[in-house]
Amino acid sequence: MSSDQLPTVQRLRPQGLVNSPAFSHVAIVPPGATTIYVGGQNAVDADGHLVGQDDVAVQSARALANARTALAAAGATLSDVVQWTVLFVDGADLGAGYGAIASELASDEPPLVMAARVAGLGVPGALVEISAVAAVVH
């Protein structure tokens, strides 16, 4: 089977639900795909230091970069992500946080997105945490 005949992940925006360019509502992963789970990524560098103290845009960009590194270690890219979960600490500017990463997440078939405000995160000073589920079709 050639690569253009491989099944793909279907991302659906059903009629009757809001049609947003930022997210889909349903994802169907075909049989045989490898599913990859990326745990929560904060804006922590390789030495364990928080990057972008008090700057949600800088922290969001670093958290996404960390998620990209984790995906790559499993043979996946941002385009393989089926669902993002994004947690923002209460009071963080969501517009600035999303604004810092939106262009990298833009797609004609966007993944599912779950976002929430939380009281705090495990890393002191962290304003955002990003996790992902990806599927690589073989």
Side-chain angles (χ1 to χ4, degrees):
M1 181 180 286
S2 70
S3 62
D4 62 334
Q5 295 173 324
L6 289 175
T8 60
V9 173
Q10 294 178 47
R11 293 172 176 89
L12 308 176
R13 291 178 265 180
Q15 187 173 1
L17 298 177
V18 66
N19 186 0
S20 172
F23 60 86
S24 295
H25 292 281
V26 179
I28 302 169
V29 177
T34 299
T35 305
I36 299 159
Y37 300 88
V38 176
Q41 300 297 309
N42 298 109
V44 176
D45 66 19
D47 295 322
H49 300 110
L50 184 65
V51 175
Q53 191 70 34
D54 299 324
D55 188 329
V56 71
V58 170
Q59 286 195 24
S60 294
R62 180 57 190 238
L64 183 62
N66 289 348
R68 185 184 309 105
T69 298
L71 287 163
T77 67
L78 294 180
S79 64
D80 295 313
V81 172
V82 174
Q83 180 171 336
W84 291 106
T85 299
V86 184
L87 304 176
F88 286 101
V89 170
D90 255 342
D93 181 349
L94 272 64
Y98 275 124
I101 60 177
S103 65
E104 292 190 69
L105 302 180
S107 168
D108 290 338
E109 293 186 338
L112 288 61
V113 177
M114 194 284 289
R117 290 187 180 269
V118 297
L121 298 166
V123 174
L127 301 173
V128 63
E129 183 165 308
I130 300 173
S131 62
V133 177
V136 176
V137 179
H138 305 282

